[in-house]
Amino acid sequence: MNSSGSDPVIHQLNAILSRLRAPDGCPWDREQTHQTIKGQLLEECYEVLEAIDRNSPQDLKEELGDLLLHVLFHSQIAREQGTFSFTDVAEGLSEKLIRRHPHVFGKASARNAEEVTVHWERSKREEKPERKSLFDGIPQGLSALLRAQKYQDKAAKLGLDWNHSDGPKAKIAEELAEVEEAVAQGDPKRIEEEIGDLLFAVVNLARHLRVNAECALSGSAERFRSRAQFIEEELRARPSGRPLELAELELLWERSKARAQERGTPPDVS
């Protein structure tokens, strides 16, 4: 097990973390374990995504630094436990990248991205023979949208897929009809199941259109929040506490969308 990276900057970062975790270092840093900081790691991943969505290189640089801190922090904890170090992590990644790109570092060939994926998947199967199913290795901690899309990707390799996006479009219409039927029956359990099937079908359409369902929904949710906050501010500024009619709310909604377009933000949800 190697102790630290050879790059001077990485070496300095490792030295800083080692000092923070020392007996006379920072009390908070000394108390942390893999379990106690895993939630913060997830938060940092989302902050990186937000920086990308804001198209802010400065913010992205900072958030990637925070994300790197967590990689180094986990590696420092592991080094103290005698299991591995950051150098081991980096060396393992280097070996994996070379192994999974035989068309670049070996004698294999790949004419397009699909053939690259074939090499990648074959290499993964060879590395992890304990995985007997295509679905093994998909983290249960993923959001439901991401998990659904991953499951669908794997199922497609078994031939369980439509040849065209018209398939999932028709499935959405079918599932919506089943939701309406469940609502008419008044069965809460079936309503939940049918809503789930409808969402699953929408994810499948997103996959066929090469859209990440998680990112798509996140974007819509944030656009909705921004528009709703605009209306909230407008209502707060009005002297009268009179509830607005639906037509007045729709007018404010359209104004919020127009303001977003003037600022150059993406069109809002309808």
Side-chain angles (χ1 to χ4, degrees):
M1 181 191 69
N2 295 311
S3 61
S4 64
S6 57
D7 183 275
V9 176
I10 295 297
H11 180 77
Q12 181 184 30
L13 284 170
N14 276 319
I16 292 171
L17 280 169
S18 181
R19 177 72 181 85
L20 290 172
R21 296 269 298 175
D24 60 343
C26 171
W28 185 89
D29 287 285
R30 288 201 312 270
E31 291 179 0
Q32 302 315 306
T33 66
H34 291 306
Q35 289 294 324
T36 62
I37 60 175
K38 69 177 185 180
Q40 295 174 31
L41 173 58
L42 183 60
E43 291 176 16
E44 295 299 345
C45 290
Y46 280 114
E47 289 179 8
V48 168
L49 295 179
E50 287 181 6
I52 292 172
D53 290 339
R54 288 196 301 270
N55 195 26
S56 172
Q58 181 61 35
D59 289 348
L60 180 58
K61 179 182 71 172
E62 180 179 348
E63 298 303 342
L64 286 174
D66 292 343
L67 184 59
L68 176 60
L69 169 61
H70 277 266
V71 175
L72 291 167
F73 206 136
H74 281 284
S75 299
Q76 173 65 25
I77 293 172
R79 187 172 74 85
E80 294 166 3
Q81 296 172 346
T83 52
F84 63 84
S85 70
F86 176 76
T87 299
D88 298 320
V89 172
E91 288 179 348
L93 176 58
S94 296
E95 293 169 1
K96 180 189 292 185
L97 288 173
I98 293 172
R99 189 169 59 248
R100 293 190 180 180
H101 292 83
H103 53 290
V104 177
F105 301 103
K107 297 181 179 180
S109 62
R111 294 166 295 181
N112 50 50
E114 287 73 19
E115 292 185 4
V116 170
T117 301
V118 170
H119 288 309
W120 187 274
E121 292 297 332
R122 180 186 300 119
S123 180
K124 285 175 64 176
R125 289 195 298 271
E126 292 172 352
E127 293 168 11
K128 301 182 183 296
E130 70 278 6
R131 293 183 180 176
K132 304 303 180 184
S133 168
L134 284 172
F135 300 92
D136 290 343
I138 297 177
Q140 290 297 303
L142 289 177
S143 71
L145 282 179
L146 282 175
R147 236 178 327 127
Q149 200 152 354
K150 289 280 189 183
Y151 290 162
Q152 291 168 2
D153 284 337
K154 297 298 185 182
K157 300 181 189 312
L158 300 173
L160 299 173
D161 200 8
W162 282 284
N163 295 324
H164 193 272
S165 62
D166 286 345
K169 287 178 184 177
K171 189 66 175 176
I172 289 172
E174 175 188 326
E175 296 297 349
L176 182 57
E178 292 183 3
V179 169
E180 293 172 346
E181 181 182 321
V183 170
Q185 293 176 350
D187 183 344
K189 179 62 176 175
R190 190 184 168 205
I191 291 173
E192 179 181 331
E193 291 176 352
E194 298 300 346
I195 288 289
D197 290 345
L198 175 60
L199 291 171
F200 194 80
V202 172
V203 171
N204 216 346
L205 176 60
R207 185 178 63 86
H208 270 265
L209 298 178
R210 298 185 182 279
V211 171
N212 182 296
E214 181 79 16
C215 292
L217 181 58
S218 177
S220 291
E222 289 308 307
R223 291 193 296 274
F224 178 87
R225 177 189 60 80
S226 177
R227 303 293 80 79
Q229 282 185 327
F230 171 83
I231 294 176
E232 179 185 32
E233 292 166 4
E234 288 287 316
L235 294 176
R236 191 181 297 121
R238 297 188 175 211
S240 172
R242 176 183 64 84
L244 296 185
E245 300 291 337
L246 179 59
E248 294 175 295
L249 285 171
E250 288 179 347
L251 181 60
L252 282 176
W253 187 263
E254 292 302 320
R255 283 179 55 193
S256 71
K257 291 171 64 176
R259 187 189 67 162
Q261 292 173 351
E262 289 171 0
R263 294 182 175 181
T265 56
D268 191 17
V269 290
S270 59

